[in-house]
Amino acid sequence: MATRKPIVAGNWKMNKTVTEAIALVDDVKRDLANCSEVDVVFCPPFTALKAVSDAVTGTHLDLGAQNMHWEASGAYTGEISAGMLRELFCHYVILGHSERRAYFHETDEIVNKKVKAALAANLRPIVCVGELLEDRDAGRTEAVVEEQVRGSLAGLSAREWADVVIAYEPVWAIGTGRTATPEQAQEVHAFIRTVIASMADESLAQSVRIQYGGSMKPSNAPELMSQPDIDGGLIGGAALDARSFVDIVKAAM
Ligand code: 13P
């Protein structure tokens, strides 16, 4: 059985000015600067990446972005490339978040191009998948998640798979206060491993880290994280508060 290092990432979404970002990171650093049992990643908005990068230098804390373009450069107004993120010592990038799929029309094909561009630039993609409430109610959860995993992660080599993190985020649990039960989340996480096994192989299926995301908070994190196939969390609202974020990371230790 592979041992997977837990990974807890704060997806700040469109929140925090540079000043607020530095204050939050400084607070988290007081508790977690030397944390080595869990990979702890801040994903601030683009405007705060440089400041957060500077603030985590010399600590065990790491940096991620929330999106990127698949091309290396060019006429793509408003976009940012993998190389630009790497220059800021960014090591992770969230791709295919449900908000990007819903509001910015990102398809699995687009996410797949971004995943490949990220991996080629040595950035680790955190690839988000998850069903809508109507999918779950219609018994389509596995079909939807399988299609997203297969489409978003198509055509990767074994070496590339090793750098992938998947975030299972049921859309109905995001920002709603309604968390998937630990059993519901565990069931989908285990299912995702069977999909990886058929796309790659069993050993990668057991070693790829799969985070849960969707209204994770200090009160429900311990039970979610104790599920055998849940390897951490992708945290939205609760990552904006240092105390909550630190407590969630501690639940992953
Ligand atoms: P919340 O934790 O606010 O539900 O957001 C989850 C999420 O979308 C993380 O990417």
Side-chain angles (χ1 to χ4, degrees):
M1 190 62 142
T3 47
R4 299 180 297 265
K5 187 174 183 185
I7 173 167
V8 175
N11 174 11
W12 296 3
K13 310 193 180 184
M14 195 171 71
N15 293 292
K16 303 285 179 191
T17 62
V18 171
T19 312
E20 291 165 346
I22 294 169
L24 175 56
V25 173
D26 281 347
D27 279 347
V28 173
K29 261 162 62 173
R30 268 193 275 283
D31 285 291
L32 297 178
N34 298 315
C35 171
S36 57
E37 304 104 292
V38 179
D39 284 337
V40 180
V41 186
F42 296 109
C43 302
F46 289 137
T47 46
L49 279 172
K50 172 75 172 103
V52 174
S53 179
D54 291 344
V56 299
T57 300
T59 73
H60 280 76
L61 305 169
D62 216 331
L63 183 66
Q66 298 174 19
N67 180 34
M68 52 166 253
H69 196 271
W70 61 85
E71 291 290 348
S73 63
Y76 300 99
T77 301
E79 294 291 327
I80 298 272
S81 73
M84 294 169 182
L85 296 176
R86 285 288 315 188
E87 190 184 22
L88 298 179
F89 303 103
C90 204
H91 296 124
Y92 292 88
V93 59
I94 299 169
L95 295 175
H97 191 278
S98 62
E99 286 149 18
R100 297 218 52 92
R101 292 177 187 263
Y103 305 138
F104 304 101
H105 314 296
E106 288 196 12
T107 60
D108 291 329
E109 194 184 351
I110 289 173
V111 176
N112 187 236
K113 287 204 265 188
K114 294 184 176 194
V115 166
K116 287 177 173 165
L119 289 165
N122 279 322
L123 270 174
R124 296 174 175 192
I126 297 176
V127 181
C128 303
V129 298
E131 80 287 0
L132 305 174
L133 186 56
E134 66 210 56
D135 297 323
R136 179 159 282 269
D137 288 345
R140 285 197 303 261
T141 299
E142 292 193 351
V144 168
V145 169
E146 174 163 8
E147 188 176 330
Q148 290 174 339
V149 171
R150 286 190 182 277
S152 304
L153 294 161
L156 304 191
S157 67
R159 197 183 52 74
E160 289 175 322
W161 267 108
D163 281 337
V164 167
V165 177
I166 294 177
Y168 168 57
E169 300 205 310
V171 178
W172 48 271
I174 295 177
T176 58
R178 189 177 157 188
T179 328
T181 65
E183 296 72 28
Q184 283 174 323
Q186 164 58 27
E187 197 179 357
V188 179
H189 282 234
F191 172 72
I192 291 171
R193 294 200 194 282
T194 68
V195 177
I196 301 171
S198 90
M199 294 176 72
D201 62 48
E202 183 56 32
S203 114
L204 282 165
Q206 291 305 323
S207 61
V208 169
R209 295 182 293 179
I210 308 178
Q211 301 172 303
Y212 170 79
S215 297
M216 199 188 259
K217 42 187 184 279
S219 58
N220 59 29
E223 217 185 333
L224 285 160
M225 307 273 202
S226 67
Q227 299 300 311
D229 289 299
I230 298 184
D231 308 314
L234 184 56
I235 322 299
L240 300 175
D241 174 72
R243 190 72 259 146
S244 300
F245 187 63
V246 167
D247 286 347
I248 292 171
V249 173
K250 288 186 173 164
M253 287 176 178

